[in-house]
C-alpha cells in the first residue's frame, strides 16, 4: 500500500468504513476529543482511500480516524487533513488494515472486535488463534475471548453490543464453560437447551440479590469440574435444575463436603510438592533458629500421625 500526498479533504466527501471493527463510540470520549479539536485542530491526519465503488456515494472511505471525522462533522469543519492511500483489494484486506492501524492505539470493545474477527475467519477459512493474531496484531488471549462470545446463540448479540448494561461480556465469558459443557447433554443441546440455561442464569443474575458479581459463578464451575471428574455428572445436572427452578436457591446448592475435601487435598498436595522441592536445598545453618525448628518438628509430628492413619 503506497502513501500519497497529504491532502485537505471536505468532510462531506468522506464516509465511515462499513467494516470498521469499532462499532461503539463513547460519547464522553467524543466530547473530550471535540473540545481538543476545537482548540488546536486535528493534529493527526485521517487515513482514507479513494472510493471506486458505487456505495457509499462519497469520494473517500475512512481507514483510520472515524472519531476525528465525527468530531469535525459536529464542529462544522469544512475540511480535514488526510493521507490518501491505495484502496484495499477486498473486504479481508480492508478489515486487516484497520486492525493493524487501530488496534495498537486503543483497544476496541470486545464484541465488535469479535464480529469483525468472525468475518475474517470466514474469509480466511481458519479460526486458528495464532494465524488470526499474526494477521491482525490482536493478542491470542483476546481472540480466544472473542471466539467464546461468538459461540453463543445469535439471540444474545444485541445484549453483547450494549455498553454499560448489567449483562456484560464478562457475564458470558465467566459462564461459557458451564454452558459449553452442559450443551453436550441431551437436555441442554445447542441452541434451544443452551438458550433455556442462559435465560435462566440471566434472570437469576438480574433478580436474585445474593449474586452481585459474575465471578461468583466460578463456584458452579468448580462443582461442575468435581462432579465431572467423579463420574457423577447427573448430580450436577440435578443441582443446576434446582438452581434454575427454585427461586429460593442460592449458590450454596452447589456446595458439597466432598468438593471442599477435594479442594483441601489439592491445596495440601501443592504445598507438599513445594516443600519437597525446597527443603533439600535449604542450608541448615541459615534456618536453625528455634521457631523454625519448632515448626519443622510440628510438621514431622502431623505427617507421622497422618501416615499412620493412612496405613
Amino acid at each position: 500500500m503506497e502513501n500519497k500526498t497529504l491532502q485537505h479533504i471536505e468532510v462531506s466527501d468522506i464516509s465511515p468504513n462499513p467494516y470498521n471493527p469499532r462499532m461503539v463510540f463513547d460519547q464522553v470520549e467524543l466530547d473530550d476529543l471535540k473540545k481538543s479539536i476545537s482548540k488546536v485542530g486535528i493534529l493527526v491526519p485521517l487515513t482514507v482511500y479513494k472510493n471506486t465503488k458505487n456505495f457509499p456515494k462519497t469520494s473517500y472511505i475512512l481507514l483510520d480516524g472515524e472519531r476525528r471525522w465525527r468530531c469535525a462533522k459536529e464542529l462544522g469543519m469544512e475540511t480535514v487533513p488526510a493521507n490518501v492511500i491505495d484502496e484495499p483489494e477486498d473486504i479481508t484486506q480492508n478489515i486487516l488494515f484497520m486492525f493493524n492501524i487501530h488496534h495498537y492505539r486503543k483497544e476496541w470493545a470486545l464484541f465488535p472486535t469479535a464480529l469483525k474477527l468472525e468475518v475474517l475467519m470466514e474469509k480466511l477459512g481458519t479460526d486458528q488463534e495464532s494465524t488470526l493474531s499474526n494477521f491482525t496484531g490482536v493478542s491470542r488471549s483476546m481472540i480466544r475471548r472473542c471466539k467464546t462470545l461468538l459461540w453463543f446463540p445469535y439471540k444474545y448479540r444485541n445484549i453483547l453490543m450494549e455498553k454499560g448494561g448489567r449483562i456484560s461480556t464478562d457475564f458470558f465469558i465467566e459462564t461459557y464453560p458451564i454452558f459449553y459443557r452442559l450443551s453436550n447433554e441431551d437436555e441442554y443441546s445447542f441452541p434451544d437447551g443452551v438458550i433455556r440455561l442462559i435465560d435462566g442464569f440471566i434472570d437469576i443474575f438480574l433478580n436474585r440479590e445474593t449474586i452481585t458479581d459474575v465471578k461468583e459463578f466460578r463456584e458452579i464451575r468448580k462443582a461442575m469440574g468435581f462432579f465431572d471428574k467423579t463420574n457423577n455428572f447427573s448430580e450436577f445436572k440435578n443441582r443446576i435444575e434446582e438452581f434454575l427452578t427454585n427461586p429460593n436457591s442460592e449458590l450454596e446448592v452447589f456446595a458439597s463436603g466432598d468438593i471442599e475435601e477435594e479442594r483441601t487435598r489439592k491445596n495440601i498436595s501443592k504445598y507438599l510438592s513445594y516443600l519437597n522441592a525446597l527443603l533439600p536445598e535449604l542450608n541448615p545453618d541459615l534456618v536453625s533458629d528455634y521457631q523454625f525448628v519448632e515448626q519443622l518438628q510440628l510438621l514431622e509430628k502431623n505427617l507421622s500421625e497422618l501416615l499412620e492413619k493412612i496405613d
Side-chain angles (χ1 to χ4, degrees), residues 67-117:
R67 293 169 72 245
R68 280 162 278 157
W69 175 79
R70 284 172 175 249
C71 290
K73 191 175 181 182
E74 289 184 17
L75 289 168
M77 296 174 62
E78 293 185 3
T79 64
V80 289
N83 290 310
V84 183
I85 60 178
D86 293 336
E87 183 177 11
E89 295 177 1
D90 51 30
I91 294 174
T92 303
Q93 191 180 57
N94 192 321
I95 296 174
L96 287 174
F97 281 149
M98 284 187 290
F99 265 111
N100 285 282
I101 290 172
H102 288 284
H103 192 71
Y104 293 106
R105 184 178 305 146
K106 182 177 177 64
E107 193 170 86
W108 293 314
L110 188 59
F111 192 61
T113 304
L115 292 177
K116 289 303 178 282
L117 278 173

Side-chain angles (χ1 to χ4, degrees), residues 17-275:
N17 196 304
Y19 306 110
N20 189 354
R22 170 179 277 164
M23 300 168 67
V24 178
F25 293 85
D26 187 281
Q27 190 58 48
V28 174
E29 292 180 359
L30 284 175
D31 290 341
D32 289 341
L33 180 58
K34 194 161 56 175
K35 290 176 184 177
S36 174
I37 291 174
S38 65
K39 291 179 180 178
V40 299
I42 295 177
L43 301 179
V44 180
L46 287 64
T47 302
V48 302
Y49 62 85
K50 190 79 174 177
N51 183 22
T52 62
K53 307 293 190 300
N54 294 326
F55 181 84
K57 301 292 186 180
T58 56
S59 301
Y60 299 94
I61 304 293
L62 277 165
L63 269 178
D64 179 44
E66 183 167 342
R67 293 169 72 245
R68 280 162 278 157
W69 175 79
R70 284 172 175 249
C71 290
K73 191 175 181 182
E74 289 184 17
L75 289 168
M77 296 174 62
E78 293 185 3
T79 64
V80 289
N83 290 310
V84 183
I85 60 178
D86 293 336
E87 183 177 11
E89 295 177 1
D90 51 30
I91 294 174
T92 303
Q93 191 180 57
N94 192 321
I95 296 174
L96 287 174
F97 281 149
M98 284 187 290
F99 265 111
N100 285 282
I101 290 172
H102 288 284
H103 192 71
Y104 293 106
R105 184 178 305 146
K106 182 177 177 64
E107 193 170 86
W108 293 314
L110 188 59
F111 192 61
T113 304
L115 292 177
K116 289 303 178 282
L117 278 173
E118 185 177 44
V119 177
L120 280 181
M121 287 188 286
E122 180 182 347
K123 297 293 183 182
L124 296 173
T126 181
D127 65 353
Q128 290 293 316
E129 292 162 15
S130 57
T131 302
L132 293 170
S133 181
N134 289 336
F135 268 105
T136 64
V138 178
S139 69
R140 293 178 68 170
S141 62
M142 185 172 183
I143 289 172
R144 196 172 302 117
R145 295 201 304 274
C146 288
K147 288 170 64 178
T148 293
L149 297 180
L150 292 173
W151 176 83
F152 285 88
Y154 272 75
K155 172 181 178 178
Y156 302 101
R157 293 199 167 188
N158 287 336
I159 296 176
L160 284 163
M161 282 297 296
E162 184 179 349
K163 187 173 182 179
R166 282 195 64 193
I167 301 300
S168 64
T169 54
D170 287 341
F171 172 90
F172 289 91
I173 288 172
E174 287 290 345
T175 55
Y176 166 75
I178 303 168
F179 300 143
Y180 181 78
R181 172 61 184 87
L182 285 168
S183 71
N184 294 315
E185 304 295 315
D186 290 340
E187 56 266 61
Y188 302 115
S189 59
F190 196 93
D192 293 342
V194 168
I195 288 173
R196 184 171 77 85
L197 278 171
I198 298 171
D199 286 348
F201 270 62
I202 289 176
D203 179 67
I204 289 169
F205 186 67
L206 291 178
N207 298 308
R208 292 188 197 172
E209 296 179 357
T210 54
I211 302 177
T212 59
D213 192 313
V214 293
K215 291 185 176 64
E216 294 178 51
F217 287 120
R218 293 179 185 180
E219 293 303 312
I220 301 178
R221 289 162 54 182
K222 291 175 185 176
M224 180 179 71
F226 172 78
F227 286 115
D228 214 359
K229 183 178 179 181
T230 55
N231 297 316
N232 193 16
F233 203 69
S234 59
E235 175 60 25
F236 176 72
K237 290 190 290 184
N238 290 338
R239 299 188 185 206
I240 281 286
E241 285 303 317
E242 170 71 13
F243 186 60
L244 290 174
T245 59
N246 184 349
N248 298 316
S249 68
E250 300 179 5
L251 287 172
E252 282 71 18
V253 72
F254 297 99
S256 166
D258 292 336
I259 295 174
E260 293 305 316
E261 286 182 9
E262 175 69 8
R263 189 177 304 172
T264 300
R265 188 194 68 78
K266 285 184 177 180
N267 286 334
I268 291 174
S269 179
K270 178 178 66 176
Y271 291 131
L272 285 175
S273 297
Y274 178 71
L275 283 172

